Amino acid sequence: KIVRVGIAQVIAIAAKHDLPTNAWPQLFVFISENVKSDVGAQRELGMYLLYSVASSAAEQLKPHLADIAALISMVLAGDQTNLAPFYAVKTLSEVVFFVGDDALKPVQQVVPQILEVIKNLIRLDQEKACEAFEVFDEMLECEVVMIAPHLKSAIMFCLEIAANKSLDDSIRVKAMSFICSLTRLRKKQILKNQLVQPILDVMLPVMCEPSGEEEEEEEEEDDVESQKPSQLASQVLDTMSMHLPPEKIIPKVMAMVEPALVDGQPERRKAAYIALAVIVEGCADYIANKYLHAVLQCVCKGLSDPEPLVRNSALFAMGQFSEHLQPDISKYASEVLPLLFQYLLQVSQDADRNPRGLTRSYYALEMFCQNLGKDIEPYLPKLMEHLLTVLKTSVGLRPKELAISAIGATASAAEKLICPYFEEIINQFRCYLATTDGDEDMFKLQIQAIDTLGVLARCVGTEMFQPLTKESIEFGLNLLNTAEDPDQRRCIYGLFAALSTLLKVNMGPYLETMMHFMLLSLRSNEGVKAHVKEESSSFLFDDAEFDTECDIEAEEDEAEGDMSDIAGISVENAYMEEKEDTAVAIGEIAVNAGVSFLPFLEESYSELQILLEYPASRVKKGAVMALGQLCVCLHEVMKTGHEVATSRTAMMEMLNNLVPKFLHVISEDTDREVVMATVDVVHDLLEKIGQPVLQVPNATDQILTRMKLIFIHKVACQCEDDEQEEEEEEQAEFDGMLIESAGDVIPVMAKLVGGENFSAFFAGFLPDLLKRMRQTSSTAEKSFAVGTLGETIEAVGPSISMYAETLYPVFVKMIRDEDDEVRSNSVYSMGVLMSKCGQKMHRHYAEVLKILFGVLNNEKNGRVIDNVCAAVSRMILTSQSNVPLDVVVPVIVKCLPLKEDQEENITIYRCITQLYAAGNKEVVAGIPDILKAIAGCLGTENFKPECEKLTVDFVKDVASKYPEAFQNLASSLSLELSSKLQACVHVINGHGVNGAS
């Protein structure tokens, strides 16, 4: 055998050189004669030889692919008692990338035969069945259309394998991994063939199987082949939730989960909670709108389940809910947090026996807390007392690591509310930060402490953290001299980025050393592995003299060598995370350091551009974000007046290079998250840099064309190659998120292009937005569409009038929607429409006021009420004579101060002050209530500088014209509010009530 393998390899290498010149016609004659032989051993030999040649010279076989496909088909249809069919499938795996139109149909036709071969191999040799399965991975990589005609039979075959507990884990995992891939790439066919229910019917029982010691749901990025079937089953559900319309999957999952939650078998209850956990990210809006209260009650109940594995799964679900169902879940804080505190105390006492329970308790607590914002205040003392006690008293290092992480999450929410605990936190951290102990657990503690230190730097403010900035930077730089761990380096760079928000241009003295290490991380090939084809080494060398994995050296001569034996390249996750986070940190440091960063800008720019071609999506995304930040950095430097001409030239060179590249990524990249991040970067460039972006040749047309393509599902990450069906109304929520990102670009473009010039483009987007406001559209779609229209109308201005009669009835209908956010956005949009279209809308004033006050009479949502007041204010500012001020103004005054939408303060107070200047008696009568509302907001983040100046001037004028009434009111208020009003009277021009500029 070993001699035959050696000869086959010699022939393959010779063929690689001779095939292009057709110098060896006898080769195909020999292969064909053997493959067509009646003798099984000869068929196997001929097919093995063809596989060897394909493995070495696949590209050279391109002219012969139609003949090869015919040979493969013949072998697959023949005798299955030898390995000839196996080698036929392996041959197809090697050449499938080069299949063109001439060989496409024959390849499509052999898919059912391949399924039969794999079915036969499963009985004989499951390891070889796994190898054969890889042909489908290759097909998915290059042409999904090869499998498309047989998608249903392929899925059903995979489900049969997945459900069979007697088979090896590896083949079952392979089958489920294939289902994941097909769901991502062929979601319409999954729906069309009604495969959702059959998939769920298999996956949920598989999820009940034991998962071993691994953390099934939290280890998603581990090597798929090392996972358990139960882990892959939960990933199938996760993928379905991400890529299928929620209404097509969630009701079906819920129908299966509900009985499982009360089942007597703990494994079924556990699987039900895991199912709830993994579907929530992809279908968050749908679950929040239809199931939130019910599923939250179920999960809370699961926390008291008698079985630890069920409780742990319920905790995981709670963490997922807390992360993805914001802000809706926060209103249940008073119910959920006491439960989580209670459970955390229990598992902390039993951490050794239930380490997974401890981890998941902290995960749920972190996710819930970090999204609470200022609402965390009532729970802060008890939470910080527990976390600091763990740091002081816990014997185990794992509880300390989790507590440090939880402090970071708490600080993210609490921001300056964390300040009273800051000194004690830092005192506890010092021993972990300074550790030189080689112990792995202590090392993890140090990494977590560095990470949380960065969070604290962002939260407590410059004044409190300033004494630690120099010490923190020097600590990080010293640590980098010996840092060999990618996670450690990544966290140090994150700390530097956080400190740059405090130091700004004063980062300068540290940047040379800092950037030396960060650029090394961008260039590094650490963690990259080449995987060598087994047949090309181990068959020939029984001693396994050569390792099948070897580090790739970044040497030019190796790059030129023969790569035909490389089966694939992989990168360890930690190194990819390091590259991504390094890129993002460089971008943030550049913007914050400004002029100080200029010496390092060119080299950073060059290295980040290289990463735009990096095969890992997360690294590419980080590079896109950082490159956008470098452009913003130069623009900010120009604004300071530093070398304006040079900076502008450099910025335009970068924009001329990057904008086309970003637009190419948007239209051609197949990863949704990369595309979404790139759209967001384009939005930021337009918003922060503005007109220079549109000076890039053809940028205006190209940017708007890409956004339009996203709206109609025609960019690569949305397309399903061979399917040209009409776009369905239903879509996955993640697809909707990409469209929302594109929608954010439209108003910014409208503002930059200018109303009259943009109105023609607006005509192209309007049908797509109106289509998302149908009765059957999801709440998220309606809210997005009506909000985008409102912002675009605001940006376009009076030129929008030509569309007024189209938009008006739509907004009237949407104002009556049952969803709070849709109503709020619709009221805003109606107000803007009435304001911008001027005289054309005067005839609708009476009807609009009737509708808005009808909403106000029954409305409980604060944001909707705020938007009604702002809409009426816009109408008054546009045409006072069409508004019954004696009725309307007292109602607006009564609604002050605003409850939620503080952005509208400027609109309302502009209206009030204009009426006051005109001597409106209703405003004069309402002065006491207006002053109370103003006093409560002055010196807070509720008032932007423009609004603060407007209201301070108003208070001064009132005090001047009505001194007695002013003093009477001031003396009736609390000392704090009275002091604010008195301060307005004596305020220095240009300074706020609290002395802030």
Side-chain angles (χ1 to χ4, degrees):
K1 177 185 174 182
I2 212 165
V3 177
R4 285 199 303 274
V5 170
I7 295 170
Q9 289 190 341
V10 172
I11 291 171
I13 296 300
K16 185 172 183 177
H17 296 280
D18 286 354
L19 284 174
T21 60
N22 203 25
W24 197 4
Q26 301 94 326
L27 175 61
F28 280 116
V29 174
F30 178 79
I31 288 173
S32 184
E33 284 176 356
N34 276 276
V35 168
K36 292 175 181 176
S37 168
D38 293 331
V39 181
Q42 281 189 270
R43 281 200 305 280
E44 184 176 324
L45 179 66
M47 210 62 240
Y48 178 73
L49 182 54
L50 181 57
Y51 162 59
S52 298
V53 172
S55 184
S56 180
E59 190 171 2
Q60 288 76 19
L61 288 174
K62 275 174 75 174
H64 311 281
L65 285 182
D67 294 335
I68 290 171
L71 278 179
I72 288 171
S73 178
M74 184 190 74
V75 171
L76 293 178
D79 181 14
Q80 300 285 316
T81 57
N82 57 53
L83 286 178
F86 169 70
Y87 290 124
V89 174
K90 294 280 282 178
T91 301
L92 189 56
S93 295
E94 296 293 341
V95 300
V96 76
F97 181 79
F98 301 101
V99 168
D101 292 341
D102 56 332
L104 181 59
K105 199 163 185 64
V107 170
Q108 282 181 329
Q109 289 169 344
V110 301
V111 170
Q113 295 169 316
I114 294 172
L115 296 175
E116 284 300 317
V117 169
I118 295 173
K119 190 182 287 186
N120 186 56
L121 283 170
I122 287 172
R123 290 195 296 271
L124 302 173
D125 186 336
Q126 290 186 38
E127 193 174 326
K128 280 194 166 53
C130 269
E131 280 188 63
F133 227 117
E134 286 168 10
V135 70
F136 293 128
D137 295 334
E138 298 297 332
M139 288 180 177
L140 292 178
E141 280 289 317
C142 51
E143 284 284 354
V144 188
V145 70
M146 293 179 188
I147 304 169
H150 310 286
L151 181 138
K152 184 170 185 177
S153 55
I155 292 271
M156 296 309 290
F157 174 64
C158 289
L159 290 175
E160 189 183 321
I161 294 171
N164 189 343
K165 292 183 185 180
S166 66
L167 298 179
D168 292 348
D169 285 354
S170 56
I171 188 71
R172 297 175 71 200
V173 162
K174 200 78 169 172
M176 285 186 278
S177 176
F178 183 56
I179 293 172
C180 279
S181 299
L182 278 177
T183 304
R184 275 196 302 273
L185 298 167
R186 276 291 175 272
K187 55 193 173 196
K188 287 181 184 174
Q189 282 202 16
I190 297 286
L191 297 172
K192 188 176 173 182
N193 286 291
Q194 299 183 326
L195 289 166
V196 174
Q197 192 64 55
I199 293 173
L200 293 176
D201 287 340
V202 171
M203 293 306 122
L204 284 164
V206 174
M207 287 169 66
C208 297
E209 296 176 24
S211 59
E213 290 303 311
E214 299 82 13
E215 297 276 322
E216 67 261 37
E217 305 79 19
E218 297 171 31
E219 299 293 340
E220 290 180 8
E221 296 181 9
D222 274 359
D223 179 19
V224 168
E225 292 176 16
S226 68
Q227 294 182 334
K228 293 281 185 181
S230 60
Q231 295 170 269
L232 253 294
S234 66
Q235 281 187 36
V236 171
L237 252 68
D238 181 33
T239 304
M240 291 172 79
S241 77
M242 292 284 200
H243 294 270
L244 302 180
E247 53 273 24
K248 297 295 186 186
I249 178 172
I250 298 301
K252 290 180 170 65
V253 172
M254 291 300 179
M256 300 177 78
V257 160
E258 283 172 18
L261 287 171
V262 293
D263 194 282
Q265 295 179 33
E267 292 79 13
R268 281 182 58 76
R269 299 199 299 278
K270 167 213 146 185
Y273 285 118
I274 296 299
L276 289 175
V278 297
I279 60 173
V280 72
E281 182 180 2
C283 302
D285 284 337
Y286 190 85
I287 292 172
N289 286 322
K290 294 187 180 292
Y291 294 100
L292 178 56
H293 185 65
V295 294
L296 200 53
Q297 281 187 318
C298 291
V299 170
C300 288
K301 186 180 175 185
L303 296 180
S304 56
D305 194 280
E307 293 290 336
L309 86 161
V310 180
R311 293 198 300 273
N312 291 346
S313 300
L315 275 168
F316 178 59
M318 181 64 82
Q320 289 285 94
F321 286 7
S322 302
E323 184 173 1
H324 301 295
L325 296 179
Q326 295 295 339
D328 306 78
I329 198 171
S330 293
K331 62 189 176 194
Y332 295 98
S334 60
E335 298 171 40
V336 173
L337 279 179
L339 267 177
L340 290 177
F341 285 154
Q342 180 187 344
Y343 194 80
L344 185 60
L345 289 171
Q346 288 175 8
V347 293
S348 295
Q349 294 164 4
D350 196 24
D352 292 338
R353 287 172 52 191
N354 187 9
R356 188 182 294 186
L358 184 71
T359 301
R360 292 198 173 159
S361 297
Y362 273 104
Y363 168 63
L365 186 68
E366 274 194 42
M367 290 301 107
F368 204 99
C369 287
Q370 74 180 16
N371 290 296
L372 272 180
K374 297 287 188 292
D375 293 337
I376 199 172
E377 187 171 5
Y379 312 100
L380 200 54
K382 184 176 180 182
L383 177 58
M384 289 307 301
E385 181 189 359
H386 173 78
L387 297 176
L388 289 168
T389 301
V390 170
L391 290 186
K392 292 173 191 171
T393 63
S394 176
V395 177
L397 295 181
R398 179 62 173 158
K400 290 184 177 183
E401 182 189 352
L402 293 168
I404 293 170
S405 177
I407 287 171
T410 305
S412 289
E415 295 184 342
K416 294 203 173 178
L417 294 172
I418 203 76
C419 288
Y421 307 95
F422 178 68
E423 190 175 341
E424 190 175 357
I425 293 169
I426 294 300
N427 288 337
Q428 290 299 319
F429 278 17
R430 285 191 182 278
C431 62
Y432 310 126
L433 292 169
T435 184
T436 53
D437 192 326
D439 181 74
E440 187 179 343
D441 288 332
M442 279 300 288
F443 182 67
K444 287 179 182 176
L445 270 183
Q446 185 186 56
I447 290 175
Q448 191 59 66
I450 295 168
D451 199 45
T452 301
L453 188 63
V455 175
L456 290 167
R458 295 178 189 275
C459 294
V460 300
T462 307
E463 188 179 341
M464 181 161 275
F465 204 91
Q466 191 67 42
L468 292 172
T469 50
K470 185 179 179 184
E471 181 187 351
S472 299
I473 285 188
E474 289 175 351
F475 159 74
L477 292 175
N478 288 334
L479 210 54
L480 283 173
N481 287 317
T482 55
E484 295 180 358
D485 182 85
D487 284 327
Q488 187 183 35
R489 291 192 294 257
R490 178 177 61 80
C491 287
I492 294 169
Y493 301 152
L495 174 62
F496 292 159
L499 293 170
S500 74
T501 64
L502 306 177
L503 287 171
K504 303 291 184 183
V505 74
N506 295 322
M507 286 288 283
Y510 310 105
L511 283 174
E512 186 171 355
T513 310
M514 199 179 286
M515 291 306 299
H516 166 73
F517 287 110
M518 295 177 90
L519 291 168
L520 282 178
S521 289
L522 291 187
R523 296 184 190 115
S524 169
N525 282 323
E526 283 182 280
V528 178
K529 295 282 186 181
H531 301 278
V532 181
K533 294 173 186 172
E534 291 181 9
E535 287 80 7
S536 59
S537 57
S538 59
F539 275 32
L540 195 55
F541 303 102
D542 274 350
D543 303 349
E545 187 180 334
F546 301 101
D547 193 352
T548 58
E549 291 189 350
C550 58
D551 284 333
I552 294 183
E553 300 294 335
E555 295 179 13
E556 295 294 328
D557 56 346
E558 283 204 24
E560 294 170 8
D562 182 5
M563 298 292 284
S564 61
D565 287 346
I566 302 296
I569 289 174
S570 66
V571 187
E572 287 180 40
N573 284 335
Y575 293 97
M576 285 196 288
E577 286 173 13
E578 181 192 2
K579 281 190 189 300
E580 178 191 14
D581 288 0
T582 304
V584 172
I586 287 173
E588 187 174 6
I589 291 167
V591 171
N592 289 325
V595 173
S596 298
F597 191 82
L598 292 183
F600 312 97
L601 193 137
E602 187 175 349
E603 192 175 5
S604 301
Y605 176 64
S606 299
E607 294 300 333
L608 288 165
Q609 277 206 96
I610 294 168
L611 293 185
L612 283 179
E613 305 301 322
Y614 202 82
S617 296
R618 64 191 310 162
V619 176
K620 189 186 295 186
K621 183 175 79 170
V624 167
M625 292 163 67
L627 286 165
Q629 293 280 66
L630 294 188
C631 296
V632 173
C633 166
L634 275 177
H635 186 255
E636 293 300 314
V637 167
M638 280 169 54
K639 282 160 61 176
T640 66
H642 179 83
E643 297 184 9
V644 174
T646 308
S647 297
R648 179 175 175 78
T649 302
M651 184 184 74
M652 287 312 302
E653 282 181 13
M654 287 168 66
L655 289 173
N656 283 324
N657 179 35
L658 290 176
V659 170
K661 286 186 176 179
F662 290 164
L663 295 175
H664 179 77
V665 169
I666 290 169
S667 54
E668 301 301 329
D669 201 285
T670 55
D671 188 281
R672 271 187 308 192
E673 289 193 27
V674 171
V675 174
M676 205 181 309
T678 310
V679 172
D680 291 342
V681 167
V682 169
H683 171 268
D684 285 350
L685 293 178
L686 291 166
E687 193 166 64
K688 292 172 182 173
I689 298 176
Q691 285 295 341
V693 180
L694 299 188
Q695 288 166 16
V696 173
N698 301 316
T700 300
D701 285 347
Q702 292 298 322
I703 290 170
L704 289 169
T705 299
R706 295 308 191 283
M707 299 311 117
K708 173 71 176 176
L709 290 173
I710 290 172
F711 268 60
I712 60 174
H713 293 261
K714 294 295 181 186
V715 295
C717 69
Q718 297 168 310
C719 289
E720 299 189 10
D721 308 325
D722 61 317
E723 297 192 18
Q724 300 299 325
E725 303 169 18
E726 287 183 27
E727 182 196 341
E728 296 180 16
E729 286 182 18
E730 296 160 336
Q731 62 181 14
E733 285 185 9
F734 255 51
D735 290 327
M737 288 170 65
L738 175 56
I739 291 166
E740 285 181 29
S741 288
D744 290 339
V745 173
I746 298 169
V748 186
M749 284 295 288
K751 191 173 180 181
L752 292 173
V753 172
E756 286 186 24
N757 295 328
F758 190 78
S759 56
F761 294 112
F762 184 71
F765 285 102
L766 183 56
D768 299 307
L769 290 166
L770 292 176
K771 186 168 63 180
R772 288 174 166 79
M773 291 189 283
R774 296 171 181 160
Q775 195 68 37
T776 53
S777 300
S778 70
T779 299
E781 282 183 297
K782 287 189 277 193
S783 175
F784 152 71
V786 75
T788 301
L789 279 172
E791 289 175 18
T792 307
I793 293 165
E794 179 89 77
V796 171
S799 301
I800 206 75
S801 296
M802 67 178 76
Y803 304 103
E805 296 303 331
T806 302
L807 295 169
Y808 176 71
V810 176
F811 293 160
V812 168
K813 183 183 79 170
M814 300 302 286
I815 285 172
R816 299 186 174 103
D817 195 88
E818 61 184 22
D819 182 75
D820 294 342
E821 191 175 301
V822 175
R823 280 200 311 284
S824 174
N825 287 352
S826 304
V827 169
Y828 161 74
S829 299
M830 178 66 88
V832 174
L833 185 72
M834 302 302 284
S835 165
K836 298 300 177 184
C837 295
Q839 196 169 350
K840 191 165 187 176
M841 299 305 290
H842 286 176
R843 65 193 179 90
H844 294 298
Y845 263 51
E847 184 185 11
V848 171
L849 288 169
K850 184 180 176 184
I851 291 168
L852 293 177
F853 277 83
V855 169
L856 207 54
N857 289 335
N858 302 303
E859 190 58 60
K860 293 190 174 97
N861 182 271
R863 181 170 287 271
V864 177
I865 293 169
D866 294 345
N867 276 281
V868 169
C869 293
V872 175
S873 297
R874 286 187 172 92
M875 293 169 71
I876 294 170
L877 288 166
T878 305
S879 178
Q880 285 185 33
S881 60
N882 283 291
V883 180
L885 298 176
D886 58 329
V887 176
V888 168
V889 172
V891 176
I892 293 176
V893 172
K894 188 181 174 185
C895 291
L896 296 176
L898 297 187
K899 311 298 183 292
E900 293 184 30
D901 196 350
Q902 306 300 334
E903 295 287 330
E904 292 291 16
N905 272 315
I906 185 63
T907 306
I908 291 165
Y909 283 108
R910 196 177 281 147
C911 173
I912 287 172
T913 53
Q914 191 178 101
L915 290 173
Y916 171 76
N920 178 268
K921 60 183 182 182
E922 284 76 29
V923 169
V924 173
I927 281 175
D929 290 327
I930 296 169
L931 291 180
K932 280 182 198 171
I934 289 173
C937 295
L938 283 170
T940 72
E941 58 190 23
N942 291 348
F943 275 5
K944 297 285 172 66
E946 183 187 4
C947 190
E948 179 137 330
K949 183 180 184 312
L950 185 72
T951 50
V952 166
D953 289 345
F954 172 74
V955 173
K956 286 168 73 174
D957 198 76
V958 168
S960 169
K961 286 181 180 171
Y962 308 99
E964 189 177 342
F966 179 81
Q967 290 302 333
N968 289 339
L969 173 71
S971 61
S972 71
L973 298 176
S974 69
L975 182 61
E976 182 190 0
L977 297 185
S978 177
S979 300
K980 285 186 180 182
L981 290 181
Q982 296 290 357
C984 290
V985 181
H986 309 291
V987 76
I988 301 169
N989 287 337
H991 289 269
V993 172
N994 290 342
S997 176

mmCIF file of all heavy atoms in Angstrom, residues 842 845 875-876 878-885:
data_model
loop_
_atom_site.group_PDB
_atom_site.id
_atom_site.type_symbol
_atom_site.label_atom_id
_atom_site.label_comp_id
_atom_site.label_asym_id
_atom_site.label_seq_id
_atom_site.Cartn_x
_atom_site.Cartn_y
_atom_site.Cartn_z
ATOM 1 N N HIS A 842 -51.147 73.927 6.063
ATOM 2 C CA HIS A 842 -51.992 74.716 6.963
ATOM 3 C C HIS A 842 -53.421 74.176 7.024
ATOM 4 O O HIS A 842 -54.051 74.197 8.085
ATOM 5 C CB HIS A 842 -52.004 76.189 6.526
ATOM 6 C CG HIS A 842 -50.725 76.896 6.844
ATOM 7 N ND1 HIS A 842 -50.462 78.196 6.473
ATOM 8 C CD2 HIS A 842 -49.604 76.472 7.506
ATOM 9 C CE1 HIS A 842 -49.251 78.538 6.893
ATOM 10 N NE2 HIS A 842 -48.708 77.501 7.504
ATOM 11 N N TYR A 845 -54.016 71.628 9.820
ATOM 12 C CA TYR A 845 -53.694 71.954 11.214
ATOM 13 C C TYR A 845 -54.776 71.485 12.185
ATOM 14 O O TYR A 845 -54.477 70.867 13.212
ATOM 15 C CB TYR A 845 -53.461 73.469 11.374
ATOM 16 C CG TYR A 845 -52.003 73.854 11.340
ATOM 17 C CD1 TYR A 845 -51.180 73.416 10.307
ATOM 18 C CD2 TYR A 845 -51.434 74.648 12.335
ATOM 19 C CE1 TYR A 845 -49.836 73.770 10.262
ATOM 20 C CE2 TYR A 845 -50.084 75.002 12.302
ATOM 21 C CZ TYR A 845 -49.291 74.556 11.261
ATOM 22 O OH TYR A 845 -47.966 74.888 11.235
ATOM 23 N N MET A 875 -45.573 73.359 15.237
ATOM 24 C CA MET A 875 -46.693 73.940 14.486
ATOM 25 C C MET A 875 -46.903 75.407 14.860
ATOM 26 O O MET A 875 -47.161 76.248 14.003
ATOM 27 C CB MET A 875 -47.963 73.119 14.743
ATOM 28 C CG MET A 875 -47.892 71.710 14.158
ATOM 29 S SD MET A 875 -49.225 70.620 14.721
ATOM 30 C CE MET A 875 -50.620 71.319 13.854
ATOM 31 N N ILE A 876 -46.768 75.725 16.161
ATOM 32 C CA ILE A 876 -46.910 77.124 16.609
ATOM 33 C C ILE A 876 -45.797 77.976 16.003
ATOM 34 O O ILE A 876 -46.038 79.082 15.504
ATOM 35 C CB ILE A 876 -46.870 77.210 18.153
ATOM 36 C CG1 ILE A 876 -48.094 76.507 18.752
ATOM 37 C CG2 ILE A 876 -46.807 78.659 18.613
ATOM 38 C CD1 ILE A 876 -48.029 76.335 20.259
ATOM 39 N N THR A 878 -44.267 77.548 13.293
ATOM 40 C CA THR A 878 -44.464 77.676 11.849
ATOM 41 C C THR A 878 -45.632 78.609 11.516
ATOM 42 O O THR A 878 -45.545 79.422 10.601
ATOM 43 C CB THR A 878 -44.713 76.287 11.221
ATOM 44 O OG1 THR A 878 -43.638 75.429 11.571
ATOM 45 C CG2 THR A 878 -44.801 76.375 9.697
ATOM 46 N N SER A 879 -46.746 78.479 12.268
ATOM 47 C CA SER A 879 -47.930 79.290 11.947
ATOM 48 C C SER A 879 -48.805 79.459 13.191
ATOM 49 O O SER A 879 -49.734 78.681 13.424
ATOM 50 C CB SER A 879 -48.725 78.626 10.815
ATOM 51 O OG SER A 879 -49.882 79.374 10.528
ATOM 52 N N GLN A 880 -48.519 80.487 13.995
ATOM 53 C CA GLN A 880 -49.295 80.742 15.222
ATOM 54 C C GLN A 880 -50.779 80.919 14.937
ATOM 55 O O GLN A 880 -51.626 80.470 15.696
ATOM 56 C CB GLN A 880 -48.778 82.012 15.906
ATOM 57 C CG GLN A 880 -47.462 81.857 16.615
ATOM 58 C CD GLN A 880 -47.086 83.128 17.359
ATOM 59 O OE1 GLN A 880 -47.951 83.846 17.851
ATOM 60 N NE2 GLN A 880 -45.789 83.399 17.431
ATOM 61 N N SER A 881 -51.075 81.572 13.817
ATOM 62 C CA SER A 881 -52.465 81.930 13.539
ATOM 63 C C SER A 881 -53.355 80.713 13.304
ATOM 64 O O SER A 881 -54.577 80.805 13.399
ATOM 65 C CB SER A 881 -52.531 82.846 12.319
ATOM 66 O OG SER A 881 -51.991 82.187 11.181
ATOM 67 N N ASN A 882 -52.749 79.561 13.005
ATOM 68 C CA ASN A 882 -53.540 78.348 12.763
ATOM 69 C C ASN A 882 -53.690 77.470 14.003
ATOM 70 O O ASN A 882 -54.198 76.354 13.911
ATOM 71 C CB ASN A 882 -52.909 77.538 11.633
ATOM 72 C CG ASN A 882 -53.195 78.122 10.269
ATOM 73 O OD1 ASN A 882 -54.334 78.088 9.804
ATOM 74 N ND2 ASN A 882 -52.170 78.692 9.644
ATOM 75 N N VAL A 883 -53.187 77.956 15.141
ATOM 76 C CA VAL A 883 -53.244 77.175 16.384
ATOM 77 C C VAL A 883 -54.025 77.968 17.440
ATOM 78 O O VAL A 883 -53.718 79.140 17.677
ATOM 79 C CB VAL A 883 -51.822 76.880 16.906
ATOM 80 C CG1 VAL A 883 -51.878 76.070 18.198
ATOM 81 C CG2 VAL A 883 -51.000 76.138 15.859
ATOM 82 N N PRO A 884 -55.028 77.352 18.082
ATOM 83 C CA PRO A 884 -55.746 78.040 19.167
ATOM 84 C C PRO A 884 -54.865 78.099 20.424
ATOM 85 O O PRO A 884 -54.917 77.210 21.289
ATOM 86 C CB PRO A 884 -56.982 77.150 19.380
ATOM 87 C CG PRO A 884 -56.576 75.799 18.900
ATOM 88 C CD PRO A 884 -55.568 76.012 17.814
ATOM 89 N N LEU A 885 -54.072 79.147 20.534
ATOM 90 C CA LEU A 885 -53.072 79.241 21.599
ATOM 91 C C LEU A 885 -53.685 79.187 22.982
ATOM 92 O O LEU A 885 -53.082 78.630 23.919
ATOM 93 C CB LEU A 885 -52.250 80.523 21.439
ATOM 94 C CG LEU A 885 -51.445 80.641 20.137
ATOM 95 C CD1 LEU A 885 -50.750 81.992 20.067
ATOM 96 C CD2 LEU A 885 -50.414 79.519 20.026
#
